[in-house]
Amino acid sequence: MARMTMIEAIRDAQDICMERDDKVVVFGQDVGYFGGVFRCTKGLQEKYGPQRCFDTPINESGIVGAAIGMGAYGLRPCVEIQFADYMYPAYDQIVSEAARLRHRSNKDFIAPLTIRMPTGGGIFGGQTHSQSPEALFAHVSGLKTVIPSNPYDAKGMLIASIEDDDPVIYLEPKRLYNGPFDGHHEAAITPWSKHELGEVPEGHYTVPLGSAAIRRAGSDVTVLAYGTMVHVALAAAEETGVDAEVIDLRSIVPLDLETIKASVEKTGRCVIVHEATRTCGFGAELAALVAHHCFYSLEAPMVRVTGYDTPYPHAHEWDYFPGPARVGKALLHVMETE
Amino acid sequence: MIGNKVFQLHVPEPQCRPGDTPDFSGFVVPEAGAAARPPVDVDAENIHNLAYDIIRVTDDEGRAVGPWAGSLTDEEALKGLRDMMTVRSFDARMLMAQRQGKTSFYMQALGEEAVSCAFQAALSPGDMNFPTYRQQGLLVTAGYPLETMMNQIYSNSADPLLGRQLPIMYSSKEKGFFSISGNLGTQFIQAVGWAMASAIAGDSKIAAGWIGDGATAESDFHSALVFASTFRAPVILNIVNNQWAISTFQGIARGKAATFASRGLGFGIPALRVDGNDFLAVHAVAKWAAERAHLGHGATLIEHVTYRAGPHSTSDDPSGYRPKTEAADWPLGDPLERLKKHLIAQGIWSEERHAQAQAEIDSDIIATQKRAEKNGTLHDGPHPSPKDMFDDVFANPPAHLIRQRQEAGI
């Protein structure tokens, strides 16, 4: 076991996959010599050479399009889009090509890609360094979309993603890169070395895609969250005293519906939390699924705590970000609702 | 104060519209055999002129002339003619099948047969094309079964793509024909990625990207050029300039301002312009570019100058936007007629043999069509199972897809 940050865990996962399989290649903007603007690919070019880890032109469609061609050849590209906010030029390649290649060619060609993207806010990133576009991927048939919340999962899920034969959108909450963040921005930052999920096994292991994790068992209300919001929800439960069961979905497609159902059937209440904007966000899908599958167990209307339906602001970071106060209020509200 | 102009938006217009007499007087047809054939390791900057010229081999008398002549044996040239005749006959039958309601949609390659048939003949087994929907000649030349193509067009019980894809969106890894997508331009950069992978893997296979004149305006055209250039990918980037993007003449894609080939020059990619209706020229240029890629000198851009003689698709009526006789007046003629004339001039073909071959091809295609129709047509006969639509979305169906399949009662 070693103590790692999320950055180190992500780097380690790529290192292990490159070591084990010559077909794994890593590329994107600034990921080569420099090791990535967040250091997630540090040292990989030095270790594996520029044939396996290299810088690309600033062209997201080119990065993903080239990766699809490589996948069709038989490689396993793990590529980086510098910020999820900049994935839009690649969207045609992701949606029209990577997601559909296996289906439209009847397995003649596949796209075993992993597309890494730092996501989420809480860093004064403003409009184009804070977005959470997961719903735009979850809506697309043929894509897997995953979002780890800690170093242990980050490594195990990234290895699982690279080894997966389907295209995986791997969203990295950048606010969690160096330490867990519960939304208390005024407090000192805790590093991952002081957190139990900063314990990361050495070598190869996987966290299966499509499996949720219960981070806090509880009996009052089920909280469905992923990424940074997992830590916010845990803080909100402690601060309100509501005995919330906090589920870290980890993967939104495929979704671990069984874990969600079992929890809501037990608690009878459900709060859904995400950073992304509300309307047609992934929370809407979660609410629809819970309503359909757990209708007779529900004792109160579900509540969504999300980013507002506005572009992500700069000066109003902490008004926008769904922090522990907003989540806590929702927990208390569903407990009071009959 | 400087006298400012009152602006007026410039919107390019083709020279001729319906009712006009076709006018290609501004189109300069260079003499066959006049263009130089540079060494394959040439730098782009030393062959700028070839991006503005048109490399031609077959002259008006059907003779193969100049430094680009001689890339094919007689047998290969005869096969080329047969491949082109097959494509044209296949297109004619499938057009009719669409009119008869046996399928929903078809796209001919009428007049462009030389581009794909000659090009494929210059590739080696294992090389991979990333075609558009108008390179059926690649499949025909590579020997992909016509019956399988028809099964795909009919979306029938023997459709290799299980009824999932629109007609003509073929896929054959085995024959080096990447799965066709409806989204334009996307495959151009994927071809570059495939070629990069071949280089990463230390392989010796090359890729070929395909795009039309209109689709060069898509951003992925630019992505492909920059990646191909940066990583010196073993790829041939083909632009098929057939003058028309549905109803839009190539000037809207800026083809009027400069040649499409010249766009490679800004990226340092050697760019050649070839007579797309000259089978011998297309083959020679393709072979040159393939050799260049195989020897590690990187990408080549080829603009195939041709004319879309047929409608854009079975859903299109060109008489709404261009003169009816424009195809007949196209200065580079008909690729079949030109190769036929060459082979006759060579003394290895004749009108009689041609007529006999045409009859054989037509009757083979009719027989093939009958066999394919036994597997069903779009609205008649056996079909793929609706269950097939739920498979292969992912490698293994996740729970939500299994639930949806069950909801559908399948």
Side-chain angles (χ1 to χ4, degrees):
Chain A
M1 285 289 205
R3 290 274 173 175
M4 287 189 192
T5 66
M6 223 156 135
I7 290 167
E8 289 160 343
I10 288 164
R11 197 214 76 88
D12 194 38
Q14 293 174 95
D15 190 356
I16 284 165
C17 291
M18 291 176 88
E19 179 92 52
R20 285 166 64 99
D21 185 352
D22 286 348
K23 294 187 170 67
V24 176
V25 289
V26 169
F27 57 94
Q29 185 191 340
D30 301 311
V31 310
Y33 182 85
F34 182 60
V37 293
F38 291 108
R39 321 309 296 146
C40 289
T41 56
K42 188 181 162 199
L44 295 179
Q45 184 178 78
E46 199 181 357
K47 186 168 175 186
Y48 297 100
Q51 298 276 310
R52 303 275 309 281
C53 176
F54 53 89
D55 292 321
T56 63
I58 304 173
N59 183 322
E60 291 78 12
S61 181
I63 291 167
V64 177
I68 293 167
M70 290 182 191
Y73 177 90
L75 299 188
R76 286 192 175 272
C78 176
V79 302
E80 179 180 301
I81 302 292
Q82 200 158 76
F83 286 85
D85 314 62
Y86 302 137
M87 69 84 183
Y88 304 102
Y91 201 54
D92 190 29
Q93 288 287 349
I94 294 171
V95 174
S96 311
E97 303 292 321
R100 296 178 184 180
L101 186 56
R102 171 189 293 275
H103 191 256
R104 79 173 194 229
S105 73
N106 188 18
K107 305 181 282 289
D108 207 13
F109 297 95
I110 63 169
L113 329 174
T114 302
I115 306 174
R116 294 180 38 243
M117 302 180 197
T119 188
I123 57 149
F124 283 94
Q127 297 206 357
T128 57
H129 298 80
S130 307
Q131 295 169 29
S132 297
E134 66 271 12
L136 297 177
F137 301 117
H139 184 62
V140 178
S141 52
L143 294 179
K144 291 180 176 168
T145 300
V146 306
I147 311 161
S149 69
N150 58 74
Y152 178 90
D153 283 353
K155 179 175 169 183
M157 287 167 65
L158 185 51
I159 294 174
S161 299
I162 293 171
E163 292 178 352
D164 198 291
D165 280 345
D166 296 317
V168 181
I169 306 295
Y170 182 95
L171 294 160
E172 303 167 4
K174 62 184 106 55
R175 177 67 224 215
L176 301 180
Y177 269 154
N178 290 304
F181 179 65
D182 62 9
H184 286 293
H185 52 93
E186 67 291 345
I189 294 162
T190 325
W192 279 114
S193 59
K194 298 214 164 71
H195 193 283
E196 59 176 352
L197 290 168
E199 283 278 351
V200 177
E202 282 165 36
H204 181 275
Y205 71 96
T206 59
V207 171
L209 309 183
S211 69
I214 297 173
R215 298 295 174 203
R216 181 190 191 284
S219 55
D220 287 349
V221 53
T222 298
V223 180
L224 303 180
Y226 46 85
T228 308
M229 288 301 118
V230 171
H231 304 279
V232 173
L234 290 170
E238 295 314 313
E239 288 159 25
T240 54
V242 173
D243 187 21
E245 179 146 296
V246 177
I247 299 181
D248 177 355
L249 297 175
R250 300 199 286 201
S251 163
I252 61 170
V253 180
L255 184 68
D256 184 352
L257 187 60
E258 296 311 312
T259 297
I260 296 170
K261 273 160 64 177
S263 178
V264 177
E265 279 162 12
K266 179 177 71 176
T267 63
R269 290 178 164 83
C270 181
V271 169
I272 295 160
V273 192
H274 60 57
E275 284 185 68
T277 50
R278 183 168 307 164
T279 303
C280 296
F282 192 69
E285 181 64 25
L286 288 170
L289 285 167
V290 171
H292 178 79
H293 292 278
C294 310
F295 184 77
Y296 297 104
S297 306
L298 286 173
E299 293 168 37
M302 283 177 274
V303 173
R304 284 181 283 164
V305 186
T306 68
Y308 298 116
D309 283 339
T310 70
Y312 205 111
H314 183 245
H316 310 298
E317 178 75 60
W318 306 117
D319 298 300
Y320 183 92
F321 185 89
R326 272 174 65 196
V327 177
K329 199 172 150 194
L331 293 180
L332 293 168
H333 176 75
V334 290
M335 292 313 295
E336 287 158 9
T337 318
E338 289 302 329
Chain B
M1 186 175 155
I2 303 161
N4 285 332
K5 280 205 167 174
V6 175
F7 299 128
Q8 192 181 21
L9 188 70
H10 173 66
V11 182
E13 265 295 312
Q15 260 176 301
C16 306
R17 285 298 192 186
D20 296 340
T21 306
D23 178 11
F24 286 108
S25 57
F27 185 90
V28 179
V29 181
E31 197 187 329
R37 186 182 185 281
V40 295
D41 62 351
V42 70
D43 286 331
E45 62 190 72
N46 295 324
I47 54 164
H48 275 193
N49 59 316
L50 289 181
Y52 297 94
D53 202 343
I54 299 181
I55 297 168
R56 306 178 73 233
V57 169
T58 317
D59 71 9
D60 291 345
E61 278 70 53
R63 289 175 304 216
V65 293
W68 292 91
S71 72
L72 287 157
T73 64
D74 286 351
E75 288 69 34
E76 288 169 330
L78 285 167
K79 181 185 183 294
L81 181 66
R82 195 168 184 97
D83 289 337
M84 288 200 288
M85 292 165 77
T86 304
V87 171
R88 189 168 292 185
S89 177
F90 183 91
D91 278 357
R93 289 304 299 180
M94 290 299 100
L95 178 67
M96 201 186 302
Q98 191 275 338
R99 296 293 186 234
Q100 292 166 339
K102 292 173 180 172
T103 185
S104 62
F105 182 74
Y106 193 70
M107 293 175 108
Q108 303 175 84
L110 189 66
E112 301 175 35
E113 295 91 343
V115 173
S116 51
C117 292
F119 187 88
Q120 179 65 37
L123 292 183
S124 308
D127 295 343
M128 182 65 72
N129 283 294
F130 285 75
T132 77
Y133 44 65
R134 224 185 289 280
Q135 276 83 50
Q136 52 265 56
L138 299 172
L139 277 177
V140 170
T141 301
Y144 188 71
L146 300 182
E147 187 176 334
T148 314
M149 291 169 77
M150 290 175 181
N151 289 332
Q152 197 280 327
I153 289 163
Y154 289 141
S155 286
N156 66 20
S157 61
D159 174 3
L161 306 182
L162 307 174
R164 292 173 185 158
Q165 272 275 47
L166 195 68
I168 76 167
M169 305 276 184
Y170 313 108
S171 173
S172 173
K173 190 175 191 173
E174 195 201 339
K175 295 296 182 191
F177 191 97
F178 183 73
S179 158
I180 294 181
S181 168
N183 294 66
L184 294 189
T186 51
Q187 78 290 342
F188 217 49
I189 173 67
Q190 292 164 2
V192 177
W194 196 97
M196 288 168 69
S198 180
I200 290 167
D203 202 344
S204 59
K205 298 187 189 99
I206 66 169
W210 292 88
I211 203 164
D213 46 285
T216 60
E218 292 281 5
S219 3
D220 281 341
F221 173 71
H222 171 271
S223 306
L225 290 180
V226 67
F227 274 65
S229 177
T230 300
F231 298 108
R232 210 174 291 169
V235 65
I236 304 172
L237 297 167
N238 294 288
I239 303 166
V240 183
N241 176 8
N242 68 11
Q243 316 301 319
W244 291 96
I246 309 184
S247 73
T248 310
F249 92 115
Q250 46 97 0
I252 294 287
R254 290 299 282 146
K256 224 179 156 183
T259 66
F260 290 101
S262 69
R263 270 148 238 205
L265 300 179
F267 292 90
I269 298 174
L272 299 87
R273 219 159 163 251
V274 63
D275 177 346
N277 291 15
D278 182 345
F279 189 94
L280 305 182
V282 172
H283 182 268
V285 168
K287 209 169 171 186
W288 184 92
E291 190 185 338
R292 175 181 163 77
H294 277 300
L295 292 174
H297 301 305
T300 302
L301 186 73
I302 303 174
E303 177 186 346
H304 303 261
V305 183
T306 183
Y307 186 86
R308 196 197 78 212
H312 166 70
S313 73
T314 49
S315 308
D316 175 49
D317 175 13
S319 72
Y321 51 81
R322 69 183 190 189
K324 272 186 177 154
T325 59
E326 202 175 78
D329 289 1
W330 171 241
L332 299 178
D334 179 324
L336 261 80
E337 291 303 322
R338 288 178 61 195
L339 183 59
K340 177 183 156 195
K341 190 172 183 177
H342 164 72
L343 294 172
I344 292 173
Q346 288 286 94
I348 57 172
W349 198 241
S350 66
E351 289 291 353
E352 296 70 36
R353 290 176 72 180
H354 191 85
Q356 195 190 344
Q358 185 71 61
E360 276 169 24
I361 289 167
D362 290 345
S363 91
D364 275 359
I365 284 172
I366 291 168
T368 307
Q369 189 183 10
K370 281 182 183 154
R371 286 200 304 277
E373 290 180 7
K374 284 196 180 128
N375 302 319
T377 57
L378 180 59
H379 302 295
D380 264 330
H383 283 103
S385 162
K387 179 184 172 295
D388 293 331
M389 72 182 172
F390 293 99
D391 292 336
D392 307 316
V393 178
F394 297 96
N396 299 299
H400 69 280
L401 275 179
I402 295 170
R403 274 198 305 277
Q404 289 173 28
R405 194 180 72 209
Q406 287 165 347
E407 271 173 40
I410 302 161

